[in-house]
Amino acid sequence: MKFFITALLAVAFSASPALASPAGEYAQHFSALSQLSVAVAQAMPADKYTFRPHPESMTFGELMLHIASTNYAFCAGLKDSDAPKDTVPAATDKEGVVKFLAASFDYCSAIIPNLSEAQLGQVHNSPDGRLPGREVLLAMYIHVAHHRGQAEIYLRDQGIKPPSYRI
């Protein structure tokens, strides 16, 4: 029986190598977070990147740039470094905004799966203050989901059905 349980666990972890790393669960869910967020940015027509549902709201393009810039800040904090100094596109440039957003997720995708147990427990700088690595990741995921949810309302206000959520 002991052999069976050991073999079952070995198969489970070999089927999902990302889960074998200390940050594996975070990395596994980050892909879905990334794909849906970029799909939301792609769903809005270029001429609607200036849309804002309320005068005090960010435009759709500004909202997407905010998500991207904050992704860079969270993930650079996890590396205890400065965020890359990429040129931020104009909020009205859909193609540039989508590329910048996707690049921010790619940047984080290169960092998250490689975080050690020590880095996950260590305190880092983040847009939400100094937090342990696990909390930085949680704060980033909440931040993306919060603002992507806003963006989906922007889409609906324009008569566009948002992309479906997938994990």
Side-chain angles (χ1 to χ4, degrees):
M1 182 66 158
K2 186 176 180 182
F3 173 77
F4 176 74
I5 292 171
T6 304
L8 184 60
L9 288 172
V11 169
F13 278 106
S14 68
S16 184
L19 292 178
S21 75
E25 291 171 345
Y26 296 100
Q28 180 184 14
H29 293 285
F30 193 72
S31 177
L33 186 75
S34 170
Q35 290 172 18
L36 181 57
S37 299
V38 171
V40 166
Q42 291 170 330
M44 183 66 87
D47 66 331
K48 299 295 183 184
Y49 262 59
T50 57
F51 173 72
R52 68 177 81 227
H54 185 274
E56 294 180 21
S57 298
M58 289 183 265
T59 67
F60 185 86
E62 290 167 344
L63 186 57
M64 296 295 102
L65 290 176
H66 173 71
I67 293 170
S69 296
T70 310
N71 283 350
Y72 278 119
F74 275 119
C75 291
L78 288 167
K79 287 181 26 175
D80 297 317
S81 64
D82 293 328
K85 302 292 183 209
D86 293 351
T87 302
V88 178
T92 56
D93 174 12
K94 176 183 176 173
E95 183 179 334
V97 170
V98 171
K99 284 181 183 177
F100 188 69
L101 180 65
S104 77
F105 283 107
D106 290 344
Y107 175 75
C108 292
S109 291
I111 295 168
I112 295 170
N114 298 310
L115 293 171
S116 68
E117 189 63 43
Q119 289 170 306
L120 291 171
Q122 179 184 347
V123 175
H124 304 275
N125 289 329
S126 83
D128 289 345
R130 292 192 49 78
L131 301 169
R134 282 183 178 80
E135 290 185 36
V136 171
L137 289 170
L138 181 59
M140 180 179 67
Y141 286 38
I142 291 169
H143 180 265
V144 171
H146 168 76
H147 287 301
R148 190 189 61 239
Q150 285 180 298
E152 290 178 11
I153 297 301
Y154 284 39
L155 291 174
R156 289 193 186 281
D157 282 353
Q158 294 300 305
I160 301 165
K161 183 178 188 245
S164 297
Y165 177 78
R166 291 179 301 277
I167 188 162

